[in-house]
C-alpha cells in the first residue's frame, strides 16, 4: 500500500493492520507527521503538533507489539484532540492567543478514554474562539481551511479536526458539539460526525456544559470509524450528573445491523428562519428518496423550533461570560455575546424555557423514528467572508446558517452528519439524521445502510493527494 492510500485508510482498518503486524505505530506516526509538515501550513488544521510525544509513544507501542497480543481496540492509531479539551502537558488555548501558555496538568475524561483505547495523540486541532463560531478563524492563528477548496471554511468549531481527517493528517478525530460543532465541520469536509445523546459521553472532570447542550463526539471518514470511536468515548465517569448505559451490542456492531421499516420525517425548511439553499435541499431530497427505496415510511414534517431560538442564545452567550477571559481579549462577536449576558435569574429562566421547548420537540418523536434535515441552511462560506460585517450582522448570519443543529443540543438527542455527494461548488454535500433519545444505534445502522448504497470513501481532496 502506498503512503497516500495508507494515510486515508479508515481507522478501524489501520487498527487491524497493526494487530496483524503489517504496519507499525511508528510507521503511521511518521507518515502523519510528514503529511502535517507538508499540508498544515496551508490548511491550518493543527494549533499544536506534539511530534516528540507522539514519536516517543509510537516507539513504545511498536516495541510492545513484539511482546503481546493483548491490545486495546485502537492500539497505535494516530488521532487528534480538539483544542477545547485539556491534555496534560500540552497547551490548551481555546482558540485565544492569550492562552498560548496555558498548559493543563490533567487530561479531560474523554482524553483518558482515548488514551486507554491505545490511540496516539498527534496534537491539538484548531477551534474557533471558545468554540463559539461555525467557522475556524480565531485572531492570532492561521485560519483553518477546507481541504476540498482552500478558499472555503471547514466549518467550526471543530473545523481543524474535520480538516485534518479530510486531508489525511490523522486517522480519526475527537470533536465537540454545543450547537452543531461536530456535524457542521463533518458536513463541510465530507466526513461522518456524531453528536451523541446527553449522558453518553462524559464531560469529566467538569459537569454538563451549558445546561447539557454540549458534548464530545467523533469525526471519521466512515460510519464504522465514527461508531467505533463513539464506543471508546462512551461511558460513565464517577460523579457525572447524567449518564446512559453502554450500548449492547456496540455501536460498531450496529453498522452491520439491518433495520426494518422506519418512520422517517424530513424537512428542508426550519421555521422561522426559512428554506435551505438548493444544494442543501438536494442532499435531503436525494437521501429521502433513497430511504423510501429501502422501504421506509416517509412524511414531510418537522417540529417547530421557533420558541427555542431566544433561550438557546441566552444559554450560549452565558458560556462566553463563564470562560473567564476578559472581554477586551475576545473577538468582536464574543465581545457582543459577553456584553449581552444578563443576570443569573435570566440565565436560569432561559434554561427552564429551553427545557420546556425541548420536551415539545422530543414529543414529536413519539411517532417518528428519524428526522432528516440539512446540517446547515446553506453551503460553506469562504474564509473571511463575514470579516467586514458588524458583530450583530455576523451573529445573525451564524444563527441562520446553523439553524438545523441546535435543537438536538437542547433536547439531548443524538444526531449524525453524513456525506451524500458534491454540491454545485464542488464541495461536499451532507445531510443530518436526528434520532430518538439514546437511539444512536438506530442512526448508525441507518447511516451505514445509506453509506453502503452511496459510498463516499473513495473521494479524496486533490489538495491532500499531491506527492
Amino acid at each position: 500500500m502506498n503512503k497516500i492510500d495508507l494515510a486515508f485508510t479508515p481507522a478501524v482498518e489501520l487498527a487491524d493492520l497493526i494487530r496483524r503486524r503489517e504496519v507499525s505505530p511508528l510507521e503511521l506516526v511518521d507518515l502523519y507527521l510528514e503529511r502535517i509538515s507538508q499540508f498544515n501550513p496551508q490548511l491550518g488544521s493543527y494549533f499544536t503538533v506534539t511530534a516528540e510525544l507522539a514519536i516517543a509513544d509510537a516507539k513504545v507501542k511498536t516495541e510492545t507489539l513484539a511482546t503481546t497480543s493483548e491490545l486495546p481496540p485502537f492500539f497505535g492509531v494516530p488521532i487528534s484532540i480538539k483544542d477545547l479539551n485539556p491534555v496534560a502537558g500540552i497547551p490548551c488555548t481555546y482558540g485565544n492567543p492569550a492562552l498560548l501558555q496555558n498548559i493543563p496538568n490533567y487530561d479531560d475524561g474523554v482524553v483518558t478514554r482515548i488514551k486507554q483505547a491505545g490511540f496516539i495523540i498527534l496534537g491539538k486541532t484548531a477551534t474557533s474562539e471558545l468554540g463559539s463560531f461555525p467557522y475556524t478563524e480565531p485572531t492570532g492563528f492561521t485560519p483553518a481551511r477546507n481541504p476540498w477548496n482552500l478558499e472555503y471554511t471547514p466549518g467550526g468549531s471543530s473545523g481543524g479536526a474535520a480538516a485534518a481527517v479530510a486531508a489525511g493528517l490523522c486517522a480519526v478525530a475527537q470533536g465537540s458539539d454545543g450547537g452543531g460543532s461536530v456535524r457542521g465541520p463533518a458536513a463541510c469536509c465530507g466526513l461522518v460526525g456524531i453528536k451523541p445523546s446527553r449522558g453518553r459521553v462524559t464531560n469529566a472532570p467538569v459537569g454538563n456544559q451549558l445546561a447539557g447542550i454540549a458534548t464530545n463526539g467523533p469525526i471519521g471518514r466512515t460510519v464504522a470509524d465514527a461508531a467505533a470511536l463513539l464506543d471508546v468515548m462512551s461511558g460513565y465517569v464517577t460523579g457525572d450528573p447524567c449518564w446512559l448505559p453502554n450500548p449492547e451490542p456496540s455501536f460498531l456492531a450496529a453498522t452491520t445491523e439491518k433495520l426494518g421499516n422506519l418512520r422517517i420525517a424530513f424537512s428542508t425548511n426550519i421555521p422561522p428562519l426559512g428554506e435551505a439553499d438548493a444544494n442543501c435541499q438536494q442532499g435531503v431530497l436525494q437521501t429521502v428518496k433513497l430511504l423510501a427505496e429501502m422501504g421506509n415510511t416517509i412524511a414531510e414534517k418537522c417540529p417547530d423550533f421557533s420558541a427555542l431560538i431566544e433561550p438557546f442564545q441566552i444559554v450560549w452567550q452565558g458560556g462566553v461570560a463563564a470562560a473567564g477571559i476578559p472581554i477586551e481579549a475576545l473577538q468582536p462577536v464574543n465581545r457582543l455575546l459577553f456584553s449581552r449576558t444578563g443576570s443569573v435569574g435570566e440565565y436560569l429562566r432561559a434554561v427552564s424555557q429551553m427545557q420546556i421547548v425541548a420536551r415539545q420537540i422530543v414529543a414529536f418523536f413519539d411517532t417518528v423514528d428519524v428526522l432528516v434535515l440539512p446540517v446547515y441552511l446553506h453551503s460553506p462560506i469562504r474564509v473571511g467572508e463575514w470579516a467586514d460585517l458588524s458583530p450583530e450582522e455576523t451573529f445573525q448570519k451564524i444563527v441562520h446558517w446553523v439553524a438545523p443543529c441546535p435543537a438536538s443540543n437542547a433536547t439531548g438527542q443524538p444526531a449524525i452528519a453524513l456525506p451524500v455527494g458534491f454540491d454545485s461548488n464542488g464541495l461536499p454535500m451532507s445531510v443530518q439524521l436526528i434520532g430518538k433519545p439514546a437511539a444512536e444505534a438506530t442512526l448508525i445502522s441507518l447511516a451505514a445502510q445509506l453509506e453502503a448504497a452511496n459510498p463516499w470513501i473513495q473521494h479524496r481532496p486533490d489538495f491532500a493527494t499531491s506527492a
Side-chain angles (χ1 to χ4, degrees):
M1 186 183 300
N2 66 48
K3 285 187 174 184
I4 292 176
D5 288 341
L6 188 61
F8 283 91
T9 297
V12 170
E13 295 178 28
L14 289 178
D16 188 54
L17 290 174
I18 291 170
R19 283 191 294 271
R20 299 204 312 260
R21 278 65 173 177
E22 294 183 22
V23 66
S24 75
L26 185 57
E27 288 174 311
L28 286 179
V29 165
D30 284 343
L31 169 62
Y32 283 116
L33 288 177
E34 180 183 329
R35 291 182 60 80
I36 291 169
S37 177
Q38 179 180 359
F39 295 112
N40 195 62
Q42 289 178 272
L43 198 62
S45 56
Y46 283 87
F47 282 164
T48 303
V49 180
T50 54
E52 291 184 5
L53 292 173
I55 290 169
D57 191 8
K59 286 180 177 177
V60 171
K61 284 183 166 63
T62 297
E63 291 170 0
T64 301
L65 273 177
T67 60
T68 182
S69 59
E70 297 295 322
L71 303 173
F74 282 102
F75 184 84
V77 176
I79 193 171
S80 61
I81 304 295
K82 183 178 178 179
D83 206 27
L84 293 184
N85 294 78
V87 180
I90 301 173
C92 189
T93 71
Y94 301 93
N96 188 297
L99 297 175
L100 285 170
Q101 301 306 314
N102 175 44
I103 302 178
N105 60 3
Y106 68 95
D107 290 336
D108 246 10
V110 72
V111 173
T112 298
R113 292 197 180 280
I114 284 168
K115 288 182 175 180
Q116 290 171 342
F119 281 108
I120 296 173
I121 296 172
L122 295 172
K124 304 294 292 296
T125 52
T127 175
S128 59
E129 185 181 73
L130 305 181
S132 295
F133 313 129
Y135 48 86
T136 306
E137 303 169 27
T139 301
F141 297 88
T142 301
R145 297 179 180 272
N146 194 319
W148 295 94
N149 186 327
L150 296 181
E151 293 185 6
Y152 289 85
T153 183
S157 61
S158 306
V165 176
L169 306 191
C170 58
V172 70
Q174 171 269 338
S176 57
D177 191 315
S181 287
V182 161
R183 290 161 286 162
C188 289
C189 294
L191 302 169
V192 179
I194 301 176
K195 201 279 311 175
S197 296
R198 184 173 300 139
R200 181 69 68 193
V201 180
T202 184
N203 281 312
V206 299
N208 280 342
Q209 298 286 302
L210 299 177
I213 67 174
T215 181
N216 293 284
I219 299 174
R221 293 190 189 92
T222 65
V223 175
D225 274 5
L229 181 51
L230 183 55
D231 282 325
V232 167
M233 290 181 167
S234 297
Y236 172 76
V237 172
T238 302
D240 283 346
C242 61
W243 62 92
L244 295 172
N246 289 335
E248 293 293 342
S250 68
F251 291 129
L252 179 58
T255 62
T256 62
E257 292 292 320
K258 300 301 180 186
L259 301 176
N261 179 14
L262 295 177
R263 299 164 300 176
I264 295 177
F266 78 96
S267 181
T268 59
N269 182 54
I270 308 295
L273 297 171
E275 282 279 352
D277 72 4
N279 288 318
C280 296
Q281 287 189 43
Q282 180 186 348
V284 170
L285 297 177
Q286 176 181 315
T287 300
V288 168
K289 181 175 182 292
L290 189 53
L291 289 169
E293 291 170 356
M294 291 176 177
N296 299 290
T297 300
I298 310 295
E300 185 172 4
K301 57 182 178 177
C302 182
D304 185 357
F305 299 155
S306 302
L308 184 63
I309 295 173
E310 182 180 1
F312 192 93
Q313 288 180 16
I314 292 172
V315 171
W316 186 262
Q317 66 200 28
V320 176
I325 298 175
I327 190 170
E328 60 272 12
L330 296 172
Q331 289 184 259
V333 177
N334 272 336
R335 289 183 200 171
L336 172 68
L337 298 180
F338 191 121
S339 69
R340 288 179 174 178
T341 304
S343 67
V344 172
E346 289 171 331
Y347 176 84
L348 292 176
R349 283 193 294 273
V351 170
S352 294
Q353 181 60 31
M354 185 176 71
Q355 291 170 345
I356 290 169
V357 179
R359 289 180 183 273
Q360 297 166 359
I361 294 171
V362 173
F364 172 87
F365 287 81
D366 289 345
T367 57
V368 168
D369 296 306
V370 175
L371 173 63
V372 182
L373 295 177
V375 179
Y376 286 159
L377 283 186
H378 60 77
S379 297
I381 63 171
R382 293 177 181 271
V383 173
E385 184 170 329
W386 295 343
D388 295 331
L389 300 179
S390 70
E392 291 81 3
E393 290 171 323
T394 302
F395 185 65
Q396 287 309 308
K397 284 188 173 292
I398 289 170
V399 169
H400 177 267
W401 192 25
V402 307
C405 285
S408 60
N409 295 93
T411 64
Q413 290 171 261
I416 184 169
L418 185 72
V420 295
F422 291 95
D423 69 15
S424 59
N425 297 319
L427 294 168
M429 183 172 64
S430 296
V431 295
Q432 175 181 198
L433 312 178
I434 302 173
K436 293 175 179 286
E440 287 96 330
T442 297
L443 294 184
I444 288 167
S445 297
L446 190 61
Q449 289 180 255
L450 289 168
E451 181 183 62
N454 182 24
W456 174 270
I457 188 64
Q458 73 277 13
H459 298 297
R460 300 172 184 173
D462 290 341
F463 163 76
T465 55
S466 58

